[in-house]
Coordinates of all heavy atoms in Angstrom, one line a residue:
M1 N 111.7 89.3 91.8 CA 111.5 90.4 90.9 C 112.4 91.6 91.2 O 112.4 92.1 92.3 CB 109.9 90.9 91.1 CG 109.5 91.9 90.2 SD 107.7 92.5 90.3 CE 107.0 91.6 91.6
S2 N 113.2 91.9 90.3 CA 114.1 93.2 90.6 C 113.9 94.1 89.4 O 113.7 93.7 88.3 CB 115.4 92.8 90.8 OG 116.1 92.3 89.7
F3 N 114.2 95.3 89.6 CA 114.1 96.4 88.6 C 115.3 97.2 88.6 O 116.2 96.9 89.4 CB 112.9 97.3 88.9 CG 111.6 96.6 89.0 CD1 111.0 96.1 90.2 CD2 110.7 96.3 87.8 CE1 109.8 95.3 90.1 CE2 109.7 95.6 87.8 CZ 109.1 95.2 88.9
Q4 N 115.3 98.2 87.8 CA 116.5 99.1 87.8 C 115.9 100.6 87.9 O 114.9 100.9 87.5 CB 117.2 99.1 86.5 CG 117.9 97.7 86.3 CD 118.8 97.7 85.0 OE1 118.5 98.4 84.1 NE2 119.7 96.8 84.9
T5 N 116.8 101.4 88.6 CA 116.5 102.8 88.8 C 116.8 103.4 87.4 O 117.4 102.8 86.5 CB 117.3 103.4 89.9 OG1 118.7 103.3 89.5 CG2 117.1 102.7 91.2
R6 N 116.6 104.7 87.3 CA 116.7 105.4 86.0 C 118.1 105.3 85.6 O 118.4 105.3 84.5 CB 116.3 106.9 86.3 CG 116.3 107.6 85.0 CD 116.0 109.1 85.0 NE 115.3 109.6 86.3 CZ 114.8 110.8 86.4 NH1 115.0 111.5 85.5 NH2 114.2 111.0 87.5
D7 N 119.1 105.3 86.6 CA 120.5 105.3 86.2 C 121.2 103.9 86.0 O 122.3 103.6 86.0 CB 121.5 106.3 87.1 CG 121.4 105.7 88.5 OD1 120.9 104.7 88.8 OD2 122.1 106.3 89.3
G8 N 120.2 102.9 86.2 CA 120.8 101.5 85.9 C 121.0 100.7 87.1 O 121.4 99.5 87.0
R9 N 120.8 101.3 88.2 CA 121.2 100.5 89.5 C 120.1 99.4 89.8 O 118.8 99.9 89.6 CB 121.4 101.4 90.7 CG 122.7 102.2 90.7 CD 122.7 103.1 91.9 NE 122.0 104.3 91.5 CZ 121.6 105.2 92.5 NH1 122.0 105.2 93.7 NH2 120.8 106.2 92.0
N10 N 120.4 98.4 90.4 CA 119.4 97.3 90.7 C 118.6 97.8 91.9 O 119.1 98.4 92.8 CB 120.0 95.9 91.0 CG 120.5 95.2 89.8 OD1 120.0 95.4 88.7 ND2 121.5 94.5 89.9
W11 N 117.3 97.5 91.8 CA 116.4 97.9 92.8 C 115.4 96.8 93.1 O 114.7 96.3 92.1 CB 115.6 99.1 92.6 CG 114.6 99.6 93.5 CD1 114.9 100.0 94.9 CD2 113.2 99.6 93.4 NE1 113.7 100.2 95.4 CE2 112.7 100.0 94.7 CE3 112.4 99.3 92.3 CZ2 111.3 100.1 94.9 CZ3 110.9 99.4 92.5 CH2 110.4 99.7 93.7
I12 N 115.1 96.3 94.3 CA 114.3 95.2 94.7 C 113.1 95.9 95.5 O 113.5 96.4 96.7 CB 114.8 94.0 95.4 CG1 115.9 93.4 94.5 CG2 113.8 93.1 95.8 CD1 116.8 92.4 95.2
P13 N 111.9 96.0 95.1 CA 110.8 96.4 95.9 C 110.6 95.8 97.1 O 110.8 94.4 97.3 CB 109.6 96.3 95.0 CG 110.1 96.0 93.6 CD 111.5 95.4 93.8
Q14 N 110.4 96.5 98.2 CA 110.1 95.9 99.5 C 108.6 96.1 99.9 O 108.3 97.4 100.3 CB 111.1 96.5 100.5 CG 112.5 96.0 100.4 CD 112.7 94.4 100.6 OE1 112.3 94.0 101.5 NE2 113.3 93.9 99.6
Y15 N 107.7 95.2 99.8 CA 106.4 95.5 99.9 C 105.8 95.4 101.4 O 106.4 94.5 102.1 CB 105.5 94.4 99.1 CG 106.0 94.4 97.7 CD1 106.7 93.5 97.1 CD2 105.4 95.4 96.8 CE1 107.0 93.4 95.8 CE2 105.7 95.4 95.4 CZ 106.4 94.4 95.0 OH 106.8 94.5 93.6
L16 N 105.0 96.2 101.7 CA 104.4 96.3 103.1 C 103.5 95.0 103.3 O 102.5 94.8 102.5 CB 103.7 97.5 103.4 CG 102.9 97.6 104.8 CD1 103.9 97.7 105.8 CD2 102.1 98.9 104.7
I17 N 103.9 94.2 104.3 CA 103.1 92.9 104.4 C 102.3 92.9 105.7 O 101.4 92.2 105.9 CB 103.9 91.6 104.2 CG1 105.1 91.7 105.2 CG2 104.4 91.5 102.8 CD1 105.8 90.3 105.3
S18 N 102.8 93.8 106.8 CA 102.0 93.7 108.0 C 102.4 95.0 108.7 O 103.5 95.6 108.6 CB 102.3 92.6 108.9 OG 103.7 92.4 109.4
I19 N 101.5 95.3 109.7 CA 101.8 96.5 110.7 C 101.5 95.9 112.1 O 100.3 95.4 112.3 CB 100.8 97.7 110.4 CG1 101.1 98.2 109.0 CG2 101.1 98.7 111.3 CD1 100.1 99.2 108.5
D20 N 102.4 96.1 112.9 CA 102.2 95.4 114.4 C 101.3 96.5 115.1 O 101.7 97.5 115.4 CB 103.6 95.3 115.0 CG 103.7 94.6 116.2 OD1 102.6 94.6 116.9 OD2 104.7 94.2 116.8
P21 N 100.1 96.1 115.5 CA 99.3 96.9 116.3 C 99.8 97.2 117.7 O 99.3 98.2 118.1 CB 98.0 96.1 116.3 CG 98.4 94.6 116.2 CD 99.6 94.6 115.2
K22 N 100.6 96.3 118.2 CA 101.2 96.8 119.5 C 102.2 97.8 119.5 O 102.3 98.6 120.5 CB 101.8 95.5 120.2 CG 100.7 94.4 120.5 CD 101.4 93.3 121.2 CE 100.4 92.3 121.8 NZ 100.0 91.2 120.9
K23 N 102.9 98.0 118.4 CA 103.9 99.1 118.2 C 103.4 100.3 117.6 O 103.9 101.3 117.8 CB 105.1 98.5 117.4 CG 106.1 97.4 117.9 CD 107.1 97.1 117.0 CE 108.1 96.2 117.6 NZ 109.2 95.8 116.5
C24 N 102.4 100.2 116.7 CA 101.8 101.3 115.9 C 101.4 102.3 117.0 O 100.5 102.1 117.9 CB 100.7 101.0 115.0 SG 100.0 102.3 113.9
I25 N 101.6 103.6 116.7 CA 101.1 104.8 117.6 C 100.0 105.5 116.8 O 99.5 106.5 117.5 CB 102.2 105.5 118.0 CG1 103.0 106.3 116.8 CG2 103.2 104.9 119.0 CD1 104.0 107.4 117.2
G26 N 99.6 105.1 115.6 CA 98.6 105.8 115.0 C 98.8 107.3 114.5 O 97.9 108.0 114.2
C27 N 100.1 107.5 114.2 CA 100.5 109.0 113.9 C 100.1 109.3 112.5 O 99.8 110.5 112.2 CB 102.0 109.1 114.1 SG 102.9 108.2 112.9
G28 N 99.8 108.4 111.5 CA 99.4 108.6 110.2 C 100.4 109.1 109.4 O 100.2 109.4 108.0
R29 N 101.8 109.1 109.7 CA 102.9 109.5 108.8 C 102.9 108.6 107.5 O 103.1 109.2 106.4 CB 104.0 109.6 109.5 CG 104.3 110.7 110.5 CD 105.5 110.7 111.2 NE 105.5 111.6 112.3 CZ 106.3 111.6 113.2 NH1 107.4 110.8 113.3 NH2 106.2 112.6 114.3
C30 N 102.8 107.3 107.7 CA 102.9 106.4 106.6 C 101.7 106.6 105.7 O 101.8 106.6 104.4 CB 103.0 105.0 107.1 SG 101.5 104.6 108.1
F31 N 100.5 106.9 106.2 CA 99.3 107.1 105.3 C 99.5 108.4 104.6 O 99.1 108.4 103.3 CB 98.2 107.3 106.3 CG 96.8 107.6 105.5 CD1 96.2 106.6 104.9 CD2 96.4 108.8 105.5 CE1 95.0 106.8 104.2 CE2 95.2 109.1 104.8 CZ 94.5 108.1 104.2
K32 N 100.1 109.4 105.1 CA 100.3 110.7 104.4 C 101.4 110.5 103.3 O 101.1 111.3 102.2 CB 100.7 111.7 105.3 CG 99.6 112.1 106.4 CD 100.2 113.1 107.4 CE 99.1 113.4 108.4 NZ 99.7 114.3 109.5
V33 N 102.4 109.7 103.3 CA 103.3 109.5 102.3 C 103.0 108.6 101.2 O 103.4 108.5 100.0 CB 104.7 109.1 102.7 CG1 105.2 110.2 103.6 CG2 104.8 107.8 103.4
C34 N 101.8 107.7 101.6 CA 101.4 106.7 100.5 C 100.1 107.2 99.7 O 99.2 107.5 100.3 CB 101.0 105.4 101.3 SG 100.4 104.2 100.2
G35 N 100.4 107.3 98.5 CA 99.2 107.8 97.7 C 98.3 106.8 97.1 O 97.6 106.9 96.2
R36 N 98.6 105.5 97.6 CA 98.0 104.3 97.1 C 96.9 103.7 97.9 O 96.5 102.5 97.6 CB 98.9 103.4 96.6 CG 100.1 104.1 95.6 CD 100.9 103.1 94.9 NE 100.1 102.0 94.4 CZ 99.6 102.0 93.0 NH1 99.7 103.1 92.3 NH2 98.9 100.9 92.6
D37 N 96.5 104.3 99.1 CA 95.5 103.8 100.0 C 95.8 102.3 100.4 O 95.0 101.4 100.6 CB 94.2 103.9 99.4 CG 93.6 105.1 99.1 OD1 93.9 106.0 100.0 OD2 92.9 105.5 98.1
V38 N 97.1 102.0 100.6 CA 97.6 100.8 101.2 C 97.1 100.5 102.6 O 96.8 99.5 103.1 CB 99.1 100.6 101.0 CG1 99.5 99.2 101.6 CG2 99.4 100.6 99.4
M39 N 97.1 101.8 103.4 CA 96.9 101.7 104.8 C 95.7 102.4 105.1 O 95.4 103.4 104.3 CB 98.0 102.1 105.7 CG 99.2 101.4 105.5 SD 100.7 102.4 105.6 CE 100.8 103.1 104.1
T40 N 95.0 102.3 106.2 CA 94.0 103.1 106.6 C 94.0 103.2 108.3 O 94.5 102.4 109.0 CB 92.6 102.7 106.3 OG1 91.6 103.7 106.5 CG2 92.2 101.4 106.9
L41 N 93.4 104.4 108.7 CA 93.4 104.4 110.2 C 92.2 103.8 110.8 O 91.1 104.1 110.4 CB 93.5 106.0 110.6 CG 93.6 106.3 112.1 CD1 95.0 105.9 112.7 CD2 93.4 107.9 112.3
K42 N 92.4 103.0 111.9 CA 91.4 102.4 112.6 C 91.4 102.7 114.1 O 92.6 103.0 114.6 CB 91.3 100.8 112.3 CG 91.0 100.3 110.9 CD 89.6 100.6 110.6 CE 89.0 100.0 109.4 NZ 87.6 100.1 109.2
G43 N 90.4 102.4 114.7 CA 90.4 102.5 116.2 C 90.4 101.2 116.9 O 89.9 100.2 116.2
I44 N 90.9 101.0 118.0 CA 90.6 99.9 118.8 C 89.8 100.1 120.0 O 89.9 101.0 120.7 CB 92.0 99.3 119.4 CG1 93.0 99.0 118.3 CG2 91.8 98.1 120.3 CD1 94.4 98.5 118.8
G45 N 88.7 99.3 119.9 CA 87.6 99.6 120.9 C 87.9 99.0 122.3 O 88.9 98.3 122.5
E46 N 87.0 99.2 123.1 CA 87.1 98.7 124.4 C 87.3 97.2 124.6 O 88.0 96.6 125.4 CB 85.9 99.1 125.4 CG 85.8 100.7 125.6 CD 84.5 101.0 126.3 OE1 83.5 100.3 126.1 OE2 84.7 102.1 127.1
D47 N 86.6 96.5 123.7 CA 86.8 95.0 123.5 C 87.8 94.6 122.8 O 88.0 93.3 122.7 CB 85.4 94.5 122.9 CG 85.3 94.9 121.4 OD1 86.0 95.8 120.9 OD2 84.3 94.3 120.8
G48 N 88.7 95.5 122.3 CA 90.0 95.0 121.5 C 89.7 94.8 120.1 O 90.7 94.6 119.2
G49 N 88.6 95.1 119.5 CA 88.2 94.9 118.2 C 88.5 96.1 117.4 O 88.5 97.4 117.9
L50 N 88.6 96.1 116.0 CA 88.8 97.2 115.1 C 87.4 97.9 114.9 O 86.6 97.4 114.5 CB 89.6 96.8 113.9 CG 91.0 96.3 114.0 CD1 91.5 95.9 112.7 CD2 91.9 97.6 114.7
I51 N 87.6 99.3 115.0 CA 86.3 100.2 114.6 C 86.8 101.1 113.9 O 88.0 101.6 113.7 CB 85.6 100.6 115.9 CG1 86.6 101.4 116.8 CG2 84.9 99.4 116.6 CD1 85.8 101.9 118.1
N52 N 85.9 101.9 113.0 CA 86.2 103.1 112.4 C 86.9 104.2 113.4 O 86.3 104.5 114.4 CB 85.0 103.6 111.6 CG 84.6 102.7 110.3 OD1 85.5 102.1 109.9 ND2 83.4 102.8 110.1
A53 N 87.8 104.8 113.0 CA 88.5 105.8 113.8 C 87.7 107.0 113.9 O 87.9 107.7 114.9 CB 90.0 106.1 113.1
D54 N 86.8 107.2 113.0 CA 85.9 108.5 113.1 C 84.6 108.2 113.8 O 83.8 109.1 113.8 CB 85.9 109.1 111.8 CG 85.2 108.3 110.8 OD1 85.0 107.1 111.0 OD2 85.0 108.8 109.6
D55 N 84.4 106.9 114.2 CA 83.1 106.7 114.8 C 83.0 107.3 116.2 O 83.7 106.8 117.2 CB 82.9 105.1 114.9 CG 81.5 104.6 115.2 OD1 80.8 105.5 115.6 OD2 81.3 103.3 115.0
E56 N 82.2 108.1 116.4 CA 82.1 108.8 117.7 C 81.2 108.1 118.7 O 81.2 108.4 119.8 CB 81.5 110.3 117.5 CG 82.4 111.2 116.7 CD 81.9 112.6 116.4 OE1 80.8 112.9 117.1 OE2 82.4 113.2 115.4
D57 N 80.4 107.2 118.2 CA 79.6 106.4 119.1 C 80.3 105.3 120.0 O 79.9 105.1 121.1 CB 78.5 105.6 118.4 CG 77.6 106.5 117.6 OD1 77.5 107.7 118.1 OD2 76.9 106.0 116.6
D58 N 81.5 105.0 119.6 CA 82.3 103.9 120.2 C 83.4 104.6 120.9 O 84.0 105.7 120.6 CB 82.8 102.9 119.3 CG 81.6 102.0 118.8 OD1 80.9 101.7 119.5 OD2 81.8 101.7 117.5
E59 N 83.7 104.1 122.2 CA 84.9 104.5 122.9 C 86.2 103.9 122.2 O 86.3 102.7 122.1 CB 84.9 103.9 124.4 CG 84.0 104.8 125.2 CD 84.4 106.0 125.6 OE1 85.6 106.2 125.8 OE2 83.4 107.0 125.6
I60 N 87.1 104.8 121.9 CA 88.3 104.3 121.2 C 89.5 104.3 122.1 O 89.7 105.4 122.8 CB 88.6 105.2 119.9 CG1 87.6 105.0 118.9 CG2 90.0 104.9 119.4 CD1 87.7 105.8 117.7
E61 N 90.1 103.2 122.3 CA 91.1 103.1 123.3 C 92.4 103.5 122.7 O 93.4 104.1 123.4 CB 91.3 101.6 123.7 CG 90.3 101.0 124.5 CD 89.9 101.7 125.9 OE1 90.9 101.8 126.7 OE2 88.8 102.0 126.1
K62 N 92.6 103.3 121.4 CA 94.0 103.6 120.7 C 93.6 103.6 119.1 O 92.7 103.0 118.8 CB 94.9 102.6 121.0 CG 96.3 102.8 120.3 CD 97.3 101.6 120.6 CE 98.5 101.7 119.9 NZ 99.5 100.6 120.1
K63 N 94.3 104.5 118.4 CA 94.1 104.5 117.0 C 95.5 103.9 116.4 O 96.5 104.1 116.9 CB 94.0 105.8 116.5 CG 92.7 106.5 116.8 CD 92.4 107.8 116.2 CE 91.1 108.3 116.5 NZ 90.9 109.7 116.0
I64 N 95.3 103.0 115.4 CA 96.4 102.4 114.8 C 96.1 102.4 113.2 O 95.0 102.5 112.7 CB 96.7 100.9 115.2 CG1 95.4 100.1 115.0 CG2 97.0 101.0 116.7 CD1 95.6 98.7 115.1
M65 N 97.2 102.2 112.6 CA 97.1 102.0 111.1 C 97.0 100.5 110.8 O 97.7 99.6 111.4 CB 98.5 102.5 110.3 CG 98.7 104.0 110.6 SD 97.3 105.0 110.1 CE 97.1 104.8 108.4
V66 N 96.3 100.1 109.9 CA 96.1 98.8 109.3 C 96.1 98.7 107.9 O 95.9 99.6 107.3 CB 94.6 98.2 110.0 CG1 94.7 98.1 111.4 CG2 93.6 99.0 109.3
L67 N 96.4 97.5 107.3 CA 96.5 97.4 106.0 C 95.0 97.5 105.4 O 94.0 96.9 105.9 CB 96.9 95.9 105.6 CG 98.4 95.9 105.8 CD1 98.9 94.5 105.7 CD2 99.2 96.7 104.8
N68 N 94.8 98.3 104.3 CA 93.7 98.5 103.6 C 93.6 97.8 102.3 O 92.6 97.1 102.1 CB 93.5 100.0 103.5 CG 92.1 100.4 102.8 OD1 91.1 100.0 103.2 ND2 92.0 101.1 101.7
D69 N 94.6 97.9 101.5 CA 94.7 97.3 100.1 C 96.1 96.9 99.8 O 96.9 97.5 99.3 CB 94.3 98.4 99.1 CG 94.1 97.7 97.8 OD1 94.5 96.5 97.5 OD2 93.8 98.5 96.7
Q70 N 96.5 95.9 100.5 CA 98.0 95.4 100.4 C 98.5 95.2 99.1 O 99.5 95.4 98.7 CB 98.1 94.0 101.3 CG 99.5 93.6 101.4 CD 99.5 92.3 102.3 OE1 98.6 91.9 102.8 NE2 100.6 91.8 102.3
G71 N 97.6 94.9 98.1 CA 97.9 94.6 96.6 C 98.3 95.9 96.0 O 98.9 95.8 95.0
A72 N 98.0 97.0 96.6 CA 98.1 98.3 95.8 C 99.6 98.9 96.2 O 100.1 99.8 95.6 CB 97.2 99.4 96.3
C73 N 100.3 98.2 97.1 CA 101.7 98.6 97.5 C 102.7 98.3 96.3 O 102.6 97.2 95.6 CB 102.2 97.8 98.7 SG 103.8 98.2 99.3
V74 N 103.5 99.4 95.9 CA 104.5 99.3 94.9 C 105.8 99.1 95.5 O 106.8 99.0 94.7 CB 104.4 100.6 94.0 CG1 103.1 100.7 93.3 CG2 104.8 101.8 94.9
G75 N 106.0 98.9 96.7 CA 107.3 98.6 97.3 C 108.3 99.7 97.4 O 109.5 99.3 97.5
C76 N 107.9 100.8 97.5 CA 108.9 102.0 97.5 C 109.4 102.2 98.8 O 110.6 102.7 98.9 CB 108.1 103.3 97.0 SG 107.0 103.9 98.3
G77 N 108.9 101.8 100.0 CA 109.4 101.9 101.2 C 109.3 103.3 101.9 O 109.9 103.4 103.0
A78 N 108.6 104.3 101.3 CA 108.4 105.4 101.9 C 107.8 105.4 103.3 O 108.1 106.1 104.1 CB 107.7 106.5 100.9
C79 N 106.8 104.5 103.5 CA 106.1 104.4 104.7 C 107.1 104.0 105.8 O 107.0 104.4 107.0 CB 105.0 103.3 104.6 SG 105.5 101.7 104.1
A80 N 108.1 103.1 105.5 CA 109.0 102.7 106.6 C 110.0 103.8 106.9 O 110.3 103.9 108.1 CB 109.8 101.4 106.0
R81 N 110.2 104.6 106.0 CA 111.2 105.6 106.3 C 110.6 106.8 107.1 O 111.4 107.4 107.9 CB 111.7 106.3 104.9 CG 112.6 105.4 104.2 CD 113.4 106.1 102.9 NE 112.4 106.6 102.0 CZ 112.0 105.7 101.0 NH1 112.4 104.6 101.0 NH2 111.2 106.2 100.1
V82 N 109.4 106.9 107.3 CA 108.8 107.9 108.1 C 108.2 107.3 109.3 O 107.8 108.3 110.2 CB 107.7 108.8 107.2 CG1 108.2 109.4 106.0 CG2 106.5 107.8 106.9
C83 N 108.2 106.1 109.5 CA 107.5 105.5 110.7 C 108.6 105.6 111.9 O 109.5 105.0 112.0 CB 107.1 104.0 110.5 SG 106.5 103.3 111.9
P84 N 108.0 106.4 112.9 CA 108.8 106.6 114.1 C 108.8 105.3 115.0 O 109.6 105.3 116.0 CB 108.2 107.7 114.8 CG 106.8 107.7 114.4 CD 106.8 107.1 113.1
A85 N 107.8 104.4 114.9 CA 107.6 103.3 115.8 C 108.3 102.0 115.3 O 108.3 101.0 115.9 CB 106.1 103.2 116.0
N86 N 108.7 101.9 113.9 CA 109.3 100.8 113.4 C 108.3 99.6 113.5 O 108.8 98.6 114.0 CB 110.7 100.5 114.0 CG 111.4 99.5 113.2 OD1 111.2 99.3 112.0 ND2 112.3 98.8 113.8
C87 N 107.0 99.8 113.2 CA 106.1 98.8 113.4 C 105.7 98.0 112.2 O 104.9 97.1 112.2 CB 104.8 99.4 114.1 SG 104.1 100.7 112.8
Q88 N 106.4 98.3 111.1 CA 106.0 97.6 109.7 C 106.9 96.7 109.3 O 108.1 96.7 109.7 CB 106.0 98.7 108.7 CG 104.9 99.9 109.0 CD 105.1 101.0 108.0 OE1 106.1 100.9 107.1 NE2 104.1 102.0 108.0
T89 N 106.4 95.6 108.7 CA 107.2 94.6 108.1 C 107.2 94.6 106.6 O 106.1 94.8 106.0 CB 106.7 93.1 108.6 OG1 106.9 93.1 110.1 CG2 107.6 92.0 108.0
H90 N 108.2 94.6 105.9 CA 108.3 94.7 104.5 C 109.0 93.4 104.0 O 109.9 92.8 104.6 CB 109.0 95.9 104.0 CG 108.3 97.2 104.3 ND1 108.2 97.8 105.5 CD2 107.5 97.9 103.4 CE1 107.5 98.9 105.4 NE2 107.1 98.9 104.3
S91 N 108.6 92.9 102.7 CA 109.3 91.7 102.1 C 109.5 91.9 100.7 O 108.5 92.7 100.1 CB 108.4 90.6 102.6 OG 109.1 89.5 102.0
S92 N 110.3 91.4 100.0 CA 110.4 91.4 98.5 C 109.4 90.3 98.1 O 109.1 89.4 98.8 CB 111.8 91.1 98.1 OG 112.1 89.8 98.6
A93 N 109.1 90.3 96.7 CA 108.4 89.4 96.2 C 108.9 87.9 96.2 O 108.4 87.0 96.4 CB 108.0 89.6 94.8
E94 N 110.4 88.0 96.1 CA 111.1 86.6 96.2 C 110.9 86.0 97.5 O 110.7 84.8 97.5 CB 112.6 86.8 95.9 CG 112.8 87.2 94.4 CD 112.9 88.7 94.1 OE1 112.7 89.5 95.0 OE2 112.9 89.0 93.0
S95 N 110.9 86.7 98.6 CA 110.9 86.1 99.8 C 109.5 85.7 100.2 O 109.2 84.7 100.9 CB 111.4 86.9 100.9 OG 110.8 88.3 100.9
E96 N 108.5 86.4 99.5 CA 107.0 86.0 99.7 C 106.8 84.8 99.1 O 106.1 83.8 99.6 CB 106.2 87.1 99.1 CG 106.0 88.4 99.9 CD 104.9 88.3 101.1 OE1 103.8 88.0 100.7 OE2 105.4 88.4 102.2
A97 N 107.4 84.5 98.0 CA 107.2 83.3 97.2 C 107.8 82.1 97.8 O 107.4 81.0 97.7 CB 107.7 83.4 95.7
A98 N 108.9 82.2 98.5 CA 109.6 81.2 99.1 C 108.9 80.5 100.4 O 108.0 80.9 100.9 CB 111.0 81.7 99.6

């Protein structure tokens, strides 16, 4: 699937397909530039499981971004451009189908 920009240049969307929890620093920059709720902030608990980041009852070892609604991604790549940790993986629709 490819599209064109307003001036006719070819453009292939690069969709967010994963976020590496080991690399993510939970800064939230990607969340702030994405208006489509593709990602959300979660906490990693003492046992290594994901918990709500705002849950005050649990001890949070680290906060990370996780995929919330992968299907809502439009492939603009804004999240990748602002990520200081380079923790995201993006792919075109063609490579997903292959």
Side-chain angles (χ1 to χ4, degrees):
M1 177 174 16
S2 70
F3 299 95
Q4 290 185 339
T5 63
R6 187 180 344 186
D7 65 1
R9 288 177 281 169
N10 286 333
W11 176 68
I12 299 173
Q14 295 293 313
Y15 302 103
L16 178 62
I17 58 170
S18 68
I19 301 171
D20 186 340
K22 291 183 170 90
K23 289 183 178 181
C24 181
I25 60 173
C27 68
R29 292 176 187 167
C30 56
F31 179 78
K32 290 175 187 171
V33 299
C34 179
R36 304 196 47 85
D37 293 325
V38 174
M39 298 149 280
T40 192
L41 185 65
K42 291 285 186 177
I44 297 178
E46 293 175 330
D47 63 353
L50 292 177
I51 56 176
N52 287 330
D54 57 359
D55 193 349
E56 296 177 16
D57 295 337
D58 291 317
E59 287 286 324
I60 295 176
E61 298 293 315
K62 178 183 174 183
K63 291 183 179 180
I64 60 168
M65 298 307 299
V66 297
L67 288 171
N68 181 52
D69 185 0
Q70 188 174 355
C73 180
V74 296
C76 70
C79 56
R81 288 190 297 277
V82 299
C83 180
N86 194 26
C87 64
Q88 302 172 352
T89 302
H90 293 78
S91 180
S92 66
E94 287 86 14
S95 60
E96 284 278 303

